[in-house]
Coordinates of all heavy atoms in Angstrom, one line a residue:
S24 N 4.0 -183.5 4.4 CA 2.8 -184.5 4.2 C 3.2 -185.8 5.0 O 4.4 -186.3 4.9 CB 2.6 -184.8 2.8 OG 3.7 -185.2 2.1
A55 N -13.6 -199.2 10.3 CA -14.5 -198.1 9.7 C -14.8 -197.0 10.8 O -15.0 -195.8 10.3 CB -15.7 -198.7 9.1
V58 N -12.0 -194.7 11.3 CA -11.8 -193.8 10.1 C -12.8 -192.6 10.1 O -12.5 -191.5 9.8 CB -11.8 -194.6 8.8 CG1 -11.9 -193.8 7.6 CG2 -10.7 -195.5 8.8
S77 N -1.7 -204.3 -2.6 CA -2.4 -203.6 -3.7 C -3.2 -202.4 -3.2 O -3.4 -201.3 -3.8 CB -3.2 -204.5 -4.5 OG -4.3 -205.1 -3.6
S85 N 4.4 -193.3 -1.6 CA 5.8 -192.7 -1.9 C 5.7 -191.2 -2.1 O 6.7 -190.5 -2.3 CB 6.3 -193.3 -3.2 OG 5.3 -193.2 -4.3
S93 N 2.0 -196.9 12.9 CA 1.9 -196.9 14.4 C 0.8 -197.9 14.9 O 0.0 -197.7 15.8 CB 1.2 -195.4 14.7 OG 0.0 -195.1 14.1
I94 N 0.9 -199.0 14.3 CA 0.1 -200.2 14.7 C 0.5 -200.7 16.0 O 1.6 -201.0 16.2 CB 0.0 -201.2 13.5 CG1 -0.5 -200.8 12.3 CG2 -0.8 -202.5 14.0 CD1 -0.3 -201.7 11.1
G112 N 8.4 -197.5 -1.7 CA 9.2 -196.3 -1.9 C 8.9 -195.3 -1.0 O 9.1 -194.0 -1.3
A149 N 9.9 -191.8 35.0 CA 10.7 -192.2 36.1 C 11.7 -191.1 36.5 O 12.0 -190.8 37.7 CB 11.4 -193.5 35.8
N151 N 11.3 -187.9 36.0 CA 10.6 -186.8 36.6 C 10.2 -187.1 38.0 O 10.2 -186.2 38.9 CB 9.3 -186.6 35.7 CG 8.5 -185.5 36.2 OD1 7.5 -185.7 37.0 ND2 8.8 -184.3 35.8
S154 N 13.0 -186.8 41.2 CA 13.3 -185.5 41.8 C 12.3 -184.4 41.4 O 11.9 -184.4 40.2 CB 14.8 -185.1 41.4 OG 15.0 -183.8 41.8
I161 N 15.0 -186.4 27.9 CA 14.8 -186.8 26.6 C 16.1 -187.6 26.1 O 17.3 -187.0 26.3 CB 14.6 -185.7 25.6 CG1 13.4 -184.9 26.0 CG2 14.5 -186.3 24.1 CD1 13.3 -183.6 25.2
K204 N 11.1 -165.8 29.2 CA 12.3 -165.5 28.4 C 13.2 -166.7 28.3 O 13.5 -167.4 29.3 CB 13.1 -164.3 29.0 CG 14.4 -164.0 28.1 CD 15.1 -163.0 28.9 CE 16.5 -162.7 28.2 NZ 17.3 -161.6 28.9
P211 N 28.3 -167.0 30.1 CA 29.0 -167.6 31.3 C 28.9 -166.8 32.5 O 29.0 -167.3 33.6 CB 30.5 -167.8 30.9 CG 30.4 -167.9 29.4 CD 29.3 -166.9 29.0
K232 N 24.6 -188.2 37.8 CA 25.2 -187.5 38.9 C 24.4 -186.2 39.3 O 24.2 -186.0 40.5 CB 26.6 -187.0 38.5 CG 27.6 -188.3 38.3 CD 29.0 -187.8 37.9 CE 29.8 -189.0 37.5 NZ 31.1 -188.5 37.0
E239 N 18.9 -185.1 46.5 CA 19.5 -185.0 47.9 C 18.5 -184.2 48.7 O 18.0 -183.1 48.3 CB 20.8 -184.5 47.9 CG 21.9 -185.4 47.2 CD 23.3 -184.8 47.2 OE1 23.4 -183.6 47.5 OE2 24.2 -185.5 46.9

Side-chain angles (χ1 to χ4, degrees):
S24 57
V58 171
S77 60
S85 62
S93 57
I94 298 171
N151 180 268
S154 170
I161 302 172
K204 180 185 176 183
K232 296 176 184 176
E239 294 176 353

